[in-house]
Amino acid sequence: MAAGTAERAPAAATSDNDARESAAPGAGRPAGAGAPAGAADSPSPRPESAAATAAGTTGHPPAEPGNHPAPAVPEGAGPAGGLPAGGERLRFVGAATRRIARGIDLDEIVLGLCRATVPTFADAILVYLRDPLPVGDERPVGPVVLRLRRTDQLPEHVRGLGEGDAADPPAERPEPVPDLAGCAAERCEVRIGGPLAEVLRGVRPVFGDSSAARAALPELLGDERPVPDRHRTILAPLRGRRRVIGAAVFVRRPDRAAFENDDLLVAAQLATHTALGVDKAVLYGREVYIADELQRTMLPDSLPQPTGVRLASRYLPAAETARVGGDWYDAIPLPGNRVALVVGDVMGHSMTSAAIMGQLRTTAQTLAGLDLPPAEVLHHLDEQAQRLGSDRMATCMYAVYDPVAHRIVIANAGHPPPILLHRGGRAEVLRVPPGAPIGVGGVDFEAVELDAPAGATLLLYTDGLVESRIRDVWTGIEQLRERLIETARLTGPNPPPLEPLCDEVLGMLGPGDRDDGIALLAARFEGIAPSDVAYWFLDPRPQTARQARRLARRALTRWGLEELTDSVELLVSEVITNAVRYAERPITLRLLRTDVLRCEVGDDVPQLPRLRQARPSDEGGRGLYLVNRLARRWGATRLSTGKVVWFELALPSHAR
């Protein structure tokens, strides 16, 4: 519940299992039936005594059978509404602390304290916590501020509201007991050296009518807050492992027995366990936050959308209590409008697994930037995993899609096989050599090249999607394949949209299927039509630049892009001239017409060009400056066989 909001316990709250546990043993008997719990050797109270206790201090007689029942002594309470003495009191403390300890987050712990103490120990409770709560060894700055985190108290009919018959004259109705928790201050700033600061520094609970509490309670609750007299209020500081983190106020009604000295020990135990639980919850919350941030930064914020392929992804942690793991996915643009698709899974569900996953993902991105073949990428990932440790195991699927050739090259390292959903609705489990997991060492990885027809969808996933304790991996793969067929049948001849397709795939998970994290990457192949590609091999000769300009002009004329002729000829000439100067093997020139016009020039020289400002006396060095000024985007990528320099120009409005 939000800070400062008073929550009144429902009337049935004292009858559930938790309430019975928080009461003293023996409270399983109906309230008021026989002797109080733990007092088997004591004589049962006379009916008139019970009636007097139920009537409280108002002096009114108990309700008649036809009227509403009078408020009963809280379950598990001793005579006159107090706690039973001796071993029963210890049992109550044990049950209450167990209930508090069951909480994981902050609200559960505070709620456990409230439910364990009301109405067995007190009729109302107010719990104040520091705002903000310090974490670990953090040294809070600024003044100490306490904010009301939760209140709880007896239901109105138990407090005496609404008792008696409506036909009774006002003078004969029971006097309502005032609201004990509904008008407390929501925020309190603890003054340095003030009475409240002194009580909190003392750590031990104090009675509300003590000299220290009389001055501290108005500072905490407000000057107009009514506090019952005598020993019916206890102010208990909540001290965590290193500092005071709040305060709890226990209040009893005027018609109930006052607190005893032993109740201060009970309040101290409740406060100590609550404070330690709050410390635990704050540290746990910080760990969850760190884990979420780590997992978020390890996975891509968004996927690229290269020309010729559409991408969608999903990630699900194994459980709320294990939000980090080793599952990852990635899509890395490569030269020539190609894209590398990666899905991997590191063993374990710990921060260590996530850290290893991040290192392997970074290594895969670096290797992809070198444009290495998929089998080579897995080989280097295997070496990296061995450098990280002898027990660093992972599975990985690495694929490179070429939208121009409509082909895909896939290499596997112990990962579940991908599934290709064809345009007509046929789902095929691709036959890819399984390979050994990354980290085994001393093994070779084999890559296969397959057709990637336009309109087909490739699904890469981790084993958490298809394997669980109730089904083996191949049964799950077959269920996934059937699910894809059913989904494709709904859209007929057209392929299903990617985002709903991913949701449908995750919809196959049942209640017992979340044993592991899940990473899912879906790629819809669209390809680039051959009519939108122009490709040439050119010998590195002085006449090559002129030949390249002529070929580019012809391609632009065929595509109806004559407006770009001057810019393309100038930029192609500059890039080709640099390649001719150093290349020893034939130069490649490729033009791609997609949503932009892309020009790529490849040679066998690995050194990347560098943009620099030429001096007035220099004869060269201005080519890349022109490319940088005229092109929409440009770049250079080092390949295993050399490099590729590329630039893009925006298409005219009529050609988009």
Side-chain angles (χ1 to χ4, degrees), residues 324-391:
V324 294
D327 301 71
W328 93 91
Y329 62 89
D330 214 340
I332 309 167
L334 300 177
N337 283 89
R338 295 173 302 144
V339 60
L341 307 173
V342 191
V343 168
D345 185 6
V346 179
M347 293 177 55
H349 305 97
S350 62
M351 304 281 279
T352 302
S353 301
I356 295 173
M357 176 267 286
Q359 296 181 68
L360 294 180
R361 178 175 177 243
T362 302
T363 303
Q365 289 179 329
T366 303
L367 297 171
L370 299 177
D371 201 21
L372 298 179
E376 283 292 315
V377 171
L378 294 184
H379 174 73
H380 289 293
L381 284 176
D382 179 60
E383 292 181 337
Q384 175 67 8
Q386 294 179 68
R387 285 191 290 267
L388 294 176
S390 58
D391 58 344

Side-chain angles (χ1 to χ4, degrees), residues 92-147:
F92 161 75
V93 173
T97 53
R98 284 195 301 272
R99 183 165 190 173
I100 295 170
R102 282 202 300 264
I104 295 179
D105 61 26
L106 195 61
D107 291 331
E108 289 179 349
I109 292 171
V110 175
L111 177 62
L113 171 65
C114 295
R115 291 291 187 260
T117 56
V118 177
T120 307
F121 181 68
D123 298 314
I125 183 174
L126 300 92
V127 182
Y128 285 82
L129 295 180
R130 292 182 66 160
D131 185 22
L133 280 167
V135 181
D137 295 328
E138 290 182 357
R139 303 298 301 177
V141 296
V144 176
V145 176
L146 300 182
R147 189 174 296 276

Side-chain angles (χ1 to χ4, degrees), residues 129-417:
L129 295 180
R130 292 182 66 160
D131 185 22
L133 280 167
V135 181
D137 295 328
E138 290 182 357
R139 303 298 301 177
V141 296
V144 176
V145 176
L146 300 182
R147 189 174 296 276
L148 184 62
R149 185 75 185 191
R150 189 180 185 90
T151 65
D152 207 351
Q153 62 184 9
L154 287 173
E156 292 182 353
H157 72 278
V158 179
R159 296 203 313 265
L161 297 179
E163 293 183 354
D165 198 322
D168 293 341
E172 298 181 4
R173 296 179 187 173
E175 180 183 353
V177 178
D179 188 353
L180 301 175
C183 56
E186 296 185 2
R187 183 180 182 277
C188 167
E189 181 174 331
V190 181
R191 293 182 286 106
I192 299 177
L196 180 58
E198 293 299 324
V199 172
L200 296 180
R201 186 180 296 111
V203 178
R204 296 181 179 179
V206 295
F207 287 120
D209 57 349
S210 64
S211 58
R214 270 199 300 266
L217 284 174
E219 184 179 347
L220 178 65
L221 307 178
D223 295 333
E224 299 180 357
R225 171 71 170 85
V227 178
D229 56 358
R230 300 173 62 186
H231 285 9
R232 289 189 173 86
T233 303
I234 293 179
L235 173 58
L238 303 179
R239 180 174 178 82
R241 292 174 176 84
R242 292 175 176 85
R243 60 183 65 87
V244 174
I245 60 174
V249 181
F250 304 93
V251 184
R252 283 185 179 175
R253 304 189 313 266
D255 59 336
R256 185 175 175 181
F259 288 112
E260 303 174 0
N261 289 332
D262 288 344
D263 292 327
L264 291 179
L265 301 178
V266 174
Q269 287 291 323
L270 298 177
T272 298
H273 284 272
T274 301
L276 294 177
V278 169
D279 264 357
K280 174 189 67 176
V282 172
L283 290 174
Y284 174 75
R286 173 60 63 88
E287 290 181 359
V288 170
Y289 170 78
I290 294 174
D292 287 341
E293 287 296 305
L294 177 63
Q295 190 71 52
R296 185 186 64 81
T297 54
M298 292 298 181
L299 297 175
D301 292 334
S302 61
L303 292 174
Q305 297 296 335
T307 303
V309 62
R310 294 185 180 179
L311 303 172
S313 63
R314 294 291 186 274
Y315 173 79
L316 292 178
E320 288 295 323
T321 56
R323 299 186 63 86
V324 294
D327 301 71
W328 93 91
Y329 62 89
D330 214 340
I332 309 167
L334 300 177
N337 283 89
R338 295 173 302 144
V339 60
L341 307 173
V342 191
V343 168
D345 185 6
V346 179
M347 293 177 55
H349 305 97
S350 62
M351 304 281 279
T352 302
S353 301
I356 295 173
M357 176 267 286
Q359 296 181 68
L360 294 180
R361 178 175 177 243
T362 302
T363 303
Q365 289 179 329
T366 303
L367 297 171
L370 299 177
D371 201 21
L372 298 179
E376 283 292 315
V377 171
L378 294 184
H379 174 73
H380 289 293
L381 284 176
D382 179 60
E383 292 181 337
Q384 175 67 8
Q386 294 179 68
R387 285 191 290 267
L388 294 176
S390 58
D391 58 344
R392 308 310 189 194
M393 305 285 290
T395 63
C396 183
M397 182 78 66
Y398 189 92
V400 175
Y401 169 64
D402 189 343
V404 176
H406 295 267
R407 304 280 289 178
I408 186 168
V409 181
I410 307 177
N412 189 7
H415 206 74

Side-chain angles (χ1 to χ4, degrees), residues 48 106 364 383 438 553 560 577 649:
E48 58 269 24
L106 195 61
E383 292 181 337
I438 290 172
R553 188 186 312 116
T577 299
L649 294 173

Side-chain angles (χ1 to χ4, degrees), residues 111 210 232 270 295 335 359 364 374 405 421 445 459 470 484 494 505 510 518-519 546 608 612 619 627 649:
L111 177 62
S210 64
R232 289 189 173 86
L270 298 177
Q295 190 71 52
Q359 296 181 68
L421 177 63
F445 299 98
L459 262 74
I470 61 176
L484 292 174
N494 299 320
V505 167
I518 298 173
R546 181 176 60 190
L608 299 180
R612 64 185 180 87
E619 295 183 1
V627 174
L649 294 173

